[in-house]
Amino acid sequence: MDLTSQPHRRHNPLLDEWVLVSPHRAKRPWQGQQEKPQPDTRPAYDPTCYLCPGNPRTSGAVNPQYEHQFVFDNDFPALLPNGETGSFEEGGLLRAEAETGHCRVLCFSPRHDLTLPEMEIPEIRRVVDTWTEEFRTLGGDPNINYVQIFENKGFMMGCSNPHPHGQIWSQRTVPDLPSKETRTQKGYFDRHGRTMLADYLAIEEKTKARFVVENDTWVALVPFWAVWPFETMVLPRRAVQDLTQLTEQERDGLADILSQLTIRYDNLFEISFPYSAGFHQRPTDGQAYPEWHLHMHFLPPLLRSATVKKFMVGYELLANAQRDITAEQAADRLRALPGVHYKVAAAANILH
Ligand code: H2U
Ligand code: ZN
C-alpha cells in the first residue's frame, strides 16, 4: 500500500481510534506564510497582567516578586477540593458523580514577554522541576488519583493571557483519555512484557522518517497516527511511568527537547506558535502501572500559515478525524527548520 498518495486509514494504538489520511488532497500545503505576522510588542513587565510579579489578581491576592517560577491555586477553579460527595441516577441512563480536585496555575517565568522557545534551557529545566514537584505533591494526596499538567498557548487556543504559564488539574477520577491510554498500554504490556511506546519508538528509530528532534534521552516525533497537521509526541527513550522517576540527565534532556521542538514550531510560520500540550502519566491511586510510558502530546491547530487553522468539523465531528498532509510530510517540514529562534536570528542579522 502506498502511504504517500493513496487515501488510507491509520490506527492510533494509544486511543484505539482511526484517522483518515488523504495525501492526494495535499496540494503543496507548505508555501510558507502568506500574511505578515503582527510584530510582538509585549513588554517584559505588564502592570495590568495578573500573572506578572507583584501584581494583584482578581481574587485580591498579590503575586510575590518571584524570580523563576510561581505556582498558585486557580482563583476560578473548575474543581473544588472539599466538594460534595455522592452520585445521581435516573432510569439507568442519567448518571452523574460528584467530582473533587485542585486546579493550579504555574507561571513559567517572571518575564511577561517570553515563552518556552524564548527561555534559556536552564530556566526550562526549572519548569521541569516544578512540574515534577507538583506531580509528586498532588499525586501523593490520597484523594487525588490523576494529575493533568498542560499548557494552553495562544489566543487561538482560548488562552486568556500571553504571560507564559500552564495549568495543573488534579482530581479523584482518571479522566477519559488517560484512562483509555491506561487500558491500551496495559493490554499491550500484558501481551508483550514491554511498554507499547518503547516498541513504537524502536520502530520509529529504524527510519527516523517521523522524527523532528532528538537527544540522548528524548525524542520528539510526529506520531504515525497524528490528527492535527503538526501534532507531535515527546517521548523519553527509557520507559518511566511519571516525572518523578526521571534522572537528572533525563530532566535536562526534557528541557532541551522542549526548547528544540518549540523553537521549530515558532520558526514554522515565524509567529508564537499556538498549541495545547501536556503530559500523560500513570494514575496516582497507589497501584503499580508498569505498562505506563510517560509522554507529552503537542496539539497545535495551525495548518498552512499564521492564521489558517485546521477545522475539526463535519466529517471529523460526526465520523472520525481526517488529515491531508501526511505525518511524514509534517515531520520533514519541522525537521528542516533552523534550530535558532527566528527572533534571535533576526537580532543577530541586525548586529552584523
Ligand atoms: P488560561 O489562560 O490557560 O486559561 O489560564 C489562566 C487561568 O488563570 C484561568 O484558568 C486563572 C483563570 O481561571 N486566573 C486566576 O487564577 N486568577 C486571576 O486573577 C485571573 C485568571
Ligand atoms: Zn505578565
Side-chain angles (χ1 to χ4, degrees):
M1 193 183 88
D2 180 5
L3 294 173
T4 64
S5 59
Q6 268 294 109
H8 59 274
R9 309 203 305 152
R10 296 191 187 192
H11 184 245
N12 176 344
L14 267 179
L15 293 179
D16 191 17
E17 284 177 358
W18 295 84
V19 52
L20 178 64
V21 185
S22 315
H24 60 295
R25 290 214 315 188
K27 303 175 261 62
R28 302 175 56 83
W30 43 80
Q31 294 145 336
Q33 80 203 43
Q34 270 132 25
E35 59 288 284
K36 263 264 150 284
Q38 298 296 315
D40 193 345
T41 52
R42 278 177 297 156
Y45 166 75
D46 177 350
T48 68
C49 168
Y50 59 79
L51 298 177
C52 274
N55 288 358
R57 300 203 304 275
T58 323
S59 60
V62 176
N63 298 329
Q65 288 292 346
Y66 65 98
E67 289 177 8
H68 300 286
Q69 284 73 42
F70 171 51
V71 196
F72 62 93
D73 286 334
N74 197 315
D75 300 314
F76 307 96
L79 293 156
L80 298 170
N82 304 313
E84 257 185 74
T85 53
S87 59
F88 168 91
E89 191 274 333
E90 190 178 329
L93 288 174
L94 311 193
R95 290 167 57 198
E97 291 172 8
E99 182 63 320
T100 51
H102 299 275
C103 295
R104 311 260 290 157
V105 179
L106 158 57
C107 300
F108 296 155
S109 164
R111 286 271 301 270
H112 187 80
D113 58 338
L114 298 183
T115 55
L116 285 178
E118 296 160 293
M119 285 166 59
E120 302 289 341
I121 291 174
E123 212 49 43
I124 302 177
R125 164 62 204 260
R126 285 175 177 273
V127 175
V128 169
D129 291 345
T130 311
W131 282 329
T132 307
E133 287 322 304
E134 287 292 314
F135 177 87
R136 196 194 305 278
T137 313
L138 292 163
D141 179 336
N143 297 313
I144 294 299
N145 294 320
Y146 185 75
V147 179
Q148 183 60 58
I149 298 173
F150 64 97
E151 178 189 4
N152 246 349
K153 181 169 164 237
F155 290 109
M156 193 176 272
M157 298 307 294
C159 178
S160 59
N161 185 329
H163 194 113
H165 71 281
Q167 298 194 42
I168 304 161
W169 293 19
S170 63
Q171 63 194 94
R172 188 182 59 82
T173 63
V174 184
D176 280 350
L177 295 176
S179 166
K180 266 193 190 174
E181 291 194 359
T182 304
R183 213 157 43 235
T184 54
Q185 290 183 97
K186 180 164 176 17
Y188 190 94
F189 190 84
D190 287 349
R191 286 194 302 279
H192 301 276
R194 298 179 304 271
T195 69
M196 176 195 286
L197 291 180
D199 280 5
Y200 173 57
L201 195 50
I203 298 170
E204 291 290 7
E205 189 94 52
K206 285 190 212 157
T207 64
K208 301 192 177 181
R210 283 168 290 271
F211 272 29
V212 176
V213 288
E214 61 177 315
N215 61 29
D216 289 349
T217 45
W218 293 79
V219 173
L221 51 79
V222 180
F224 180 72
W225 52 83
V227 165
W228 293 95
F230 294 98
E231 174 176 338
T232 55
M233 186 152 71
V234 176
L235 273 171
R237 292 185 185 274
R238 187 171 69 92
V240 296
Q241 286 105 52
D242 67 64
L243 285 165
T244 67
Q245 295 163 359
L246 295 175
T247 63
E248 288 288 309
Q249 196 205 352
E250 286 167 333
R251 290 191 194 197
D252 285 342
L254 175 53
D256 171 71
I257 211 85
L258 288 175
S259 170
Q260 289 202 55
L261 175 64
T262 56
I263 284 173
R264 279 166 181 84
Y265 271 152
D266 274 14
N267 286 345
L268 183 60
F269 301 127
E270 297 200 351
I271 49 153
S272 184
F273 198 70
Y275 56 73
S276 278
F279 290 92
H280 277 155
Q281 312 184 66
R282 68 166 172 90
T284 57
D285 55 5
Q287 293 179 44
Y289 287 96
E291 70 274 16
W292 253 95
H293 194 138
L294 156 84
H295 56 277
M296 285 185 85
H297 295 284
F298 276 81
L299 308 166
L302 290 177
L303 172 62
R304 194 169 291 136
S305 68
T307 53
V308 180
K309 68 181 276 244
K310 172 176 178 59
F311 288 100
M312 286 287 179
V313 294
Y315 182 82
E316 274 109 339
L317 287 183
L318 292 157
N320 76 220
Q322 186 273 342
R323 64 182 291 137
D324 293 347
I325 95 163
T326 63
E328 298 72 44
Q329 290 171 319
D332 285 348
R333 183 82 198 287
L334 288 171
R335 196 170 49 235
L337 291 165
V340 176
H341 196 271
Y342 71 90
K343 283 189 193 167
V344 175
N349 275 341
I350 291 162
L351 289 178
H352 284 150

